[in-house]
Amino acid sequence: MYFRNFLLRALQAEDAAHLTPLLREISLSRGQPLFEPGDTIETLYFPSSACISVVTVMRDGRQIETATIGRESAAALLDAVTGQPTASRIFVQVGGSALALPAQVYRQRMSASLPLVELTLRHARASAQQAELGVGCNLAHPADGRMARWLLMTQDRVGDRILPLTQDYLSVMTGVQRTTVSLMANALKTAGVIDYSRGQLTILDREGLIARACECYPVSERQFEALRSGGD
């Protein structure tokens, strides 16, 4: 069976033989909630074309994204394998397909497979690095550079230049007000880098977007490509 998801594609043959029959193909809708803070992760979601957002919810209701998970990995992987409740809100950012697996099945297989433990740790490490990079990026870089980086990361994970994104979602992802998002999106549209209409954003000039992204994007891209190739 061919997997679009990089983690599943990197499974050793014996691990794949145990897990593949229990995978269930599902369709995820944009905005669909998966987990709330305090939830135990009962199901692992391995996106194929969907993109999942992990956000921290502040006391006043504000949401700040800490991770974006697409075809390179699985959502809430570390919480699932440790059996600990998640501290984040996790929802579908871009609708699409995914494969679902009971978390208990994955944990049981890990207890019998050192290669699966090593693969899981590599992916958990990549998620932690993404969160760390995001903290530094939000503090050090202007909003327009962060937005360009985030759009590129989302395109990498979805595998398509057409992204069904509303300004409300872009506001959460970039951590700025909706009015600021509108100004930045209009500037990119005027420059011919993107097209944006009625909740659908199309990347027209990827190289132009890369030129506008902050210095964190090449780091994110290297992490993504390392997972694609199965390296670390």
Side-chain angles (χ1 to χ4, degrees), residues 33-225:
L34 299 179
F35 304 105
E36 290 292 330
D39 285 353
T40 299
I41 308 300
E42 303 288 351
T43 303
L44 270 171
Y45 295 95
F46 301 87
S48 299
S49 61
C51 196
I52 294 172
S53 182
V54 182
V55 300
T56 296
V57 183
M58 300 301 176
R59 188 177 300 175
D60 61 4
R62 287 180 300 160
Q63 300 182 84
I64 300 174
E65 186 184 65
T66 55
T68 300
I69 307 297
R71 56 187 172 140
E72 83 284 4
S73 196
L77 181 61
L78 193 57
D79 292 332
V81 299
T82 59
Q84 297 299 308
T86 183
S88 303
R89 174 172 292 160
I90 302 173
F91 64 93
V92 180
Q93 179 190 110
V94 177
S97 61
L99 292 166
L101 180 76
Q104 183 178 4
V105 170
Y106 194 92
R107 288 195 297 269
Q108 289 173 343
R109 183 58 198 163
M110 280 183 67
S111 68
S113 171
L114 180 59
L116 184 57
V117 171
E118 293 173 342
L119 177 64
T120 302
L121 289 175
R122 185 159 67 243
H123 280 258
R125 173 175 173 262
S127 293
Q129 288 175 326
Q130 182 188 153
E132 292 168 1
L133 184 66
V135 170
C137 185
N138 288 338
L139 288 172
H141 297 141
D144 54 353
R146 299 201 313 269
M147 180 172 171
R149 174 182 73 91
W150 184 83
L151 290 174
L152 289 163
M153 288 176 59
T154 303
Q155 183 187 25
D156 290 340
R157 282 150 181 78
V158 173
D160 197 338
R161 67 189 186 94
I162 300 174
L163 308 175
L165 299 169
T166 66
Q167 290 191 5
D168 287 335
Y169 280 121
L170 290 171
S171 177
V172 172
M173 301 315 127
T174 55
V176 298
Q177 294 182 345
R178 191 175 182 274
T179 52
T180 303
V181 168
S182 180
L183 290 172
M184 294 189 298
N186 285 335
L188 290 173
K189 184 175 181 179
T190 300
V193 175
I194 67 168
D195 189 23
Y196 186 77
S197 177
R198 297 183 179 180
Q200 180 167 290
L201 187 149
T202 303
I203 296 176
L204 302 175
D205 179 4
R206 180 176 169 86
E207 292 304 316
L209 197 58
I210 290 173
R212 289 166 171 79
C214 67
E215 64 186 279
C216 296
Y217 177 65
V219 179
S220 299
E221 187 178 33
R222 286 195 297 272
Q223 292 172 347
F224 181 83
E225 290 301 326

